[in-house]
């Protein structure tokens, strides 16, 4: 469903992604972990068409991606950002924010879709006519997830979708994502620094360091001690330490 | 029997704090009569999204919008009545004696100024020295928060650095004026686990070495239990329980227990995570 082949990304003279390759099968949830600045968000943003300076091969659903993406791409591929503040328009109510993708993609029954979307992400009804600054951080991230889902995408790119959420909502959102990918056959890439979150949702994952993938492994390998790379082992050890 | 030493006035004293926001139908009660105090120690505030953690921190710095109705029997920082203080006094507290590290760096960094200049200005506002010293201080602070490539980051704009780097830049900026207290609102939720531990150790060292007070607002219970002395657990604008951080895993309140149980675990994976069943009794006024 998603193919990334020898991807390089530059910002001016600074190359931040080096020779990254991985494939994601339809319906699979693939994880990306790695230290801060290792290039996780950049890989995701490049797939989403938000970064201009790249070379290598990118394909979604068998179609090779060029520098410009068409409208069909933006309907089928949706991204949820790390940062629930910057990604929501500050002067639009939640209602407007959710109505916009429906208008852009010419989808009818806005009323019922918005109501359902708010329920799906467990937002109270009163939140519908509030502005982003009137919501807590967690409530804002749920709006961002609702917006990404409302036009029925087939690919969801999730950049730290739960790192601004408290654990109870995180559990709800993780269960929600698990249900949705099942029900809607969603293919996802999930970026997180939390290995337990990645292990919970992803069958396979890539570990990044310094803009490169150092290891691709299956979820069970997080537990059975067969992770190869030193950086992966370090992340696993830290995660166990925090679980105490 | 010796007489008890005169109890030192706490750095922060909060008694019966209430914060209401107007809405078309009346008021949203964001904080409903909470009380706690903070010395030169590390206090964790946990609780789910919307429980009023950030609003509490912002009330203490008088950073809430003018529309907010803030009432308290006491809301003091080092004896200063925050509700009655002049705007000038408050400016000296904010970004001076109290550093606020926010949930989101991009929101509080100036997008059109380089990172280096922002840290330098924070340093200049509270230290004696010229531009050159300020730049050196900024570089040293970036090193202290373990930015790998401090010279490049010094001349970068906020949109050119990753989320985690932005958070470290915020911390460097807040440390520049040598504050008495840090309010860290989800300071590390955008960081990877190794940097998260590093940053919290760093904050912990700085807090102990400088004798600062720390209010660590977070939804990450294991993290708070590891780095704080005491924990206040909030739900729907009230304090549900307060306990020593190291006893968090033995918490009694059903709400706290529910929070602990719904975290995914690397060592013991479950196909579905339990979610919290909210007891209406938790909404009743507590004691
Ligand atoms: N717009 C940009 N211009 C210049 N450099 C950038 C830009 N965006 C990111 N970078 C650089 O690319 C590198 C990778 O950043 P990226 O945001 O992808 O990291 P990340 O792995 O998502 O980190 P984090 O966990 O902190 O979010 C960093 O060194 C960053 O400074
Ligand atoms: N400016 C505002 N206007 C109206 N309501 C607000 C405003 N700021 C916060 N609130 C409301 O006050 C309540 C408490 O919000 P607060 O930001 O303190 O939550 P929090 O505990 O920090 O949550 P999170 O973990 O998601 O950051 C929420 O219901 C929120 O919607
Ligand atoms: Mg990122
Ligand atoms: Mg908050």
């Amino acid at each position: 469903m998603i193919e990334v082949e020898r991807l390089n990304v530059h910002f001016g003279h600074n190359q931040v992604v080096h020779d990254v390759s991985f494939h994601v099968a339809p319906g699979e949830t693939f994880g990306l972990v790695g230290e801060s600045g290792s290039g996780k968000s950049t890989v995701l943003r490049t797939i989403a068409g938000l970064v201009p300076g790249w070379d290598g091969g990118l394909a979604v659903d068998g179609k090779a991606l060029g520098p410009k993406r068409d409208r069909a791409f933006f309907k089928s591929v949706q991204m949820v950002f790390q940062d629930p503040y910057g990604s929501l328009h500050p002067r639009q109510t939640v209602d407007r924010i959710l109505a916009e993708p429906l208008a852009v993609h010419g989808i009818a029954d806005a009323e019922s879709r918005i109501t359902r979307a708010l329920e799906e992400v467990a937002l109270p009804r009163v939140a519908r006519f509030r502005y982003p600054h009137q919501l807590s951080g967690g409530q804002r991230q749920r709006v961002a997830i609702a917006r990404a889902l409302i036009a029925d995408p087939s690919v969801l790119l999730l950049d730290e979708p739960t790192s601004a959420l408290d654990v109870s909502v995180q559990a709800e959102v993780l269960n929600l994502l698990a249900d949705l990918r099942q029900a809607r056959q969603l293919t996802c890439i999930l970026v997180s620094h939390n290995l337990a979150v990645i292990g919970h949702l992803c069958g396979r994952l890539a570990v990044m360091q310094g803009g490169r993938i150092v290891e691709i492994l299956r979820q069970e390998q997080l537990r059975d001690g067969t992770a190869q790379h030193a950086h992966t082992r370090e992340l696993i050890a830290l995660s166990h330490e925090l679980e105490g | 029997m010796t007489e008890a030493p005169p109890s030192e006035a706490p750095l922060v004293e909060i008694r019966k704090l209430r914060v209401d926001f107007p809405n078309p139908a009346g008021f949203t009660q964001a904080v409903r009569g909470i009380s706690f105090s903070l010395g030169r120690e590390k206090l964790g505030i946990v609780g789910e999204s919307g429980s009023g953690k950030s609003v509490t921190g912002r009330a203490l710095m008088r950073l809430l919008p003018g529309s907010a109705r803030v009432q308290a029997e006491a809301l003091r920082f080092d004896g200063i009545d925050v509700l009655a203080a002049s705007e000038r006094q408050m400016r000296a507290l904010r970004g001076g004696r109290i550093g606020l590290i926010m949930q989101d760096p991009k929101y509080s960094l100036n997008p059109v100024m380089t990172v280096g200049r922002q840290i330098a200005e924070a340093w200049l506002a509270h230290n004696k020295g010229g531009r050159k010293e300020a730049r050196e201080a900024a570089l040293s602070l970036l090193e202290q928060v373990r930015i790998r490539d401090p010279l490049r980051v010094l001349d970068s704009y906020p949109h050119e650095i990753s989320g985690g780097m932005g958070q470290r830049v915020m911390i460097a900026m807040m440390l520049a004026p040598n504050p008495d207290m840090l309010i860290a609102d989800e300071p590390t939720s955008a960081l990877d686990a190794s940097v998260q531990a590093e940053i919290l150790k760093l904050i912990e060292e700085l807090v102990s070495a400088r004798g600062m007070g720390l209010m660590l607002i977070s939804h990450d219970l294991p993290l708070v239990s590891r780095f704080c002395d005491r924990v206040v657990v909030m739900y729907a604008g009230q304090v549900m329980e307060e306990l020593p951080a190291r006893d968090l895993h033995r918490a009694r309140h059903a709400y706290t227990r529910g929070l602990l149980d719904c975290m995914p675990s690397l060592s013991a994976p479950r196909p579905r995570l339990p979610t919290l069943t909210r007891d209406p009794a938790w909404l009743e006024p507590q004691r």
Side-chain angles (χ1 to χ4, degrees):
Chain A
M1 187 70 186
I2 304 170
E3 284 149 62
V4 178
E5 213 67 65
R6 316 209 67 158
L7 177 69
N8 297 301
V9 183
H10 298 262
F11 289 110
H13 293 297
N14 194 17
Q15 181 168 359
V16 300
V17 171
H18 302 260
D19 200 23
V20 160
S21 304
F22 61 87
H23 290 193
V24 189
E28 184 183 7
T29 302
F30 186 79
L32 277 181
V33 287
E35 58 188 1
S36 179
S38 62
K40 306 180 297 291
S41 298
T42 302
V43 168
L44 225 57
R45 295 172 60 88
T46 307
I47 298 172
L50 301 174
V51 172
W54 60 274
D55 60 78
L58 285 180
V60 170
D61 205 5
K63 283 192 278 291
L65 302 178
K68 282 262 182 307
R69 311 287 155 85
D70 55 15
R71 179 176 295 189
F73 174 86
F74 289 110
K75 180 171 184 301
S76 60
V77 179
Q78 285 289 331
M79 181 154 174
V80 174
F81 294 90
Q82 183 167 357
D83 149 16
Y85 295 80
S87 66
L88 299 178
H89 195 295
R91 281 192 243 294
Q92 290 184 352
T93 60
V94 171
D95 184 65
R96 268 286 294 285
I97 291 170
L98 296 180
E100 195 171 272
L102 296 175
V104 168
H105 299 296
I107 297 170
D109 64 326
E111 180 60 34
S112 65
R113 276 187 183 248
I114 291 173
T115 317
R116 197 187 73 193
L118 290 173
E119 270 167 21
E120 266 184 341
V121 298
L123 273 171
R125 269 160 192 270
V126 294
R128 180 164 171 184
F129 296 100
R130 289 205 188 153
Y131 291 91
H133 74 271
Q134 295 172 325
L135 301 172
S136 76
Q139 290 168 332
R140 268 180 273 217
Q141 191 60 306
R142 283 182 274 173
V143 172
I145 292 173
R147 178 182 57 184
L149 290 172
I150 203 158
D152 279 328
S154 52
V155 171
L156 206 51
L157 305 173
L158 301 152
D159 192 351
E160 305 273 6
T162 63
S163 68
L165 304 184
D166 59 278
V167 291
S168 62
V169 184
Q170 168 169 286
E172 280 160 24
V173 170
L174 293 178
N175 287 341
L176 170 73
L177 289 171
D179 293 344
L180 287 167
R181 66 177 178 184
Q182 186 93 31
R184 302 192 183 184
Q185 280 299 301
L186 279 173
T187 305
C188 307
I189 301 180
L190 171 66
V191 167
S192 176
H193 63 267
N194 185 326
L195 218 49
V197 166
I198 293 276
H200 183 75
L201 278 186
C202 305
R204 291 187 311 133
L205 62 138
V207 180
M208 290 189 70
Q209 191 178 32
R212 297 173 192 277
I213 290 185
V214 298
E215 185 168 8
I216 293 183
L217 63 171
R218 281 173 294 106
Q219 183 219 102
E220 307 80 59
Q221 291 180 277
L222 292 175
R223 284 180 289 273
D224 68 9
T226 58
Q228 298 294 317
H229 196 272
H231 187 53
T232 314
R233 289 167 167 274
E234 189 190 347
L235 291 175
I236 294 173
L238 255 157
S239 183
H240 283 303
E241 192 194 326
L242 269 179
E243 276 178 26
Chain B
M1 280 294 283
T2 51
E3 229 174 293
S7 67
E8 228 178 279
L11 204 51
V12 173
E13 196 190 346
I14 297 179
R15 214 162 58 230
K16 296 251 162 74
L17 172 67
R18 307 189 66 85
V19 180
D20 303 305
F21 290 102
N23 68 29
F27 281 94
T28 306
Q29 305 186 331
V31 175
R32 304 192 293 142
I34 66 167
S35 306
F36 61 85
S37 61
L38 169 76
R40 296 189 179 264
E41 61 177 329
K42 290 164 289 185
L43 176 73
I45 301 192
V46 297
E48 67 183 328
S49 179
S51 59
K53 307 181 297 292
S54 298
V55 167
T56 302
R58 299 182 136 255
L60 182 63
M61 295 184 81
R62 222 166 75 192
L63 278 175
L64 292 169
S67 61
R69 196 170 69 190
V70 185
Q71 297 162 290
E73 276 178 15
L75 185 62
R76 288 199 193 91
F77 174 79
D78 201 15
I80 301 164
D81 181 349
V82 169
L83 293 180
S86 68
E87 194 44 42
R88 196 156 150 246
Q89 267 177 308
M90 287 314 295
R91 269 200 302 274
L93 291 189
R94 293 184 207 121
R97 298 192 60 198
I98 310 180
L100 174 66
I101 301 165
M102 297 254 283
Q103 206 156 352
D104 193 289
K106 299 264 158 71
Y107 198 64
S108 32
L109 290 174
N110 182 342
V112 298
M113 204 192 268
T114 63
V115 158
R117 249 193 82 195
Q118 293 184 60
I119 303 175
E121 299 216 333
W123 186 86
L124 279 171
H126 303 269
N127 291 278
K128 286 201 179 63
R131 294 253 147 228
K132 191 153 169 294
E133 283 114 308
R135 189 176 157 91
E136 269 157 26
L139 188 63
S140 146
L141 282 160
L142 286 178
E143 280 165 1
Q144 281 180 52
V145 295
R146 296 184 180 82
I147 294 260
R148 200 172 270 178
D149 195 356
L151 269 173
R152 178 175 69 86
V153 171
L154 206 59
D155 294 317
S156 298
Y157 287 90
H159 73 274
E160 296 173 333
I161 58 179
S162 77
M165 289 159 105
Q167 206 68 314
R168 283 184 273 181
V169 166
M170 270 300 295
I171 295 173
M173 218 162 100
M174 288 306 141
L175 290 175
N178 276 314
D180 289 310
M181 177 182 170
L182 281 182
I183 300 179
D185 191 342
E186 303 283 2
T188 62
S189 53
L191 304 181
D192 62 277
S194 48
V195 184
Q196 192 170 54
E198 247 179 46
I199 292 283
L200 282 167
K201 263 182 219 145
L202 179 77
I203 292 181
E204 192 188 25
E205 276 165 29
L206 290 159
V207 164
S208 313
R210 304 181 184 200
M212 289 190 277
L214 173 69
M215 191 188 284
L216 178 62
I217 297 173
S218 174
H219 60 259
D220 192 330
L221 282 76
L223 207 73
V224 164
S225 119
R226 188 169 148 193
F227 284 97
C228 291
D229 305 313
R230 263 188 318 135
V231 184
V232 165
V233 183
M234 284 186 72
Y235 176 75
Q238 297 193 96
V239 173
M240 293 292 115
E241 81 180 311
E242 192 188 314
L243 69 174
R246 61 173 182 284
D247 294 340
L248 192 61
H249 64 284
R250 283 199 293 257
R252 304 299 284 273
H253 199 285
Y255 173 62
T256 318
R257 294 240 52 93
L259 289 181
L260 288 167
D261 196 38
C262 59
M263 286 184 294
S265 148
L266 193 59
S267 42
R270 295 168 286 187
R272 257 193 114 65
L273 298 169
T275 51
L276 204 61
T277 318
R278 293 169 180 81
D279 186 339
W282 303 342
L283 291 173
E284 302 290 308
Q286 304 288 303
R287 275 169 301 134

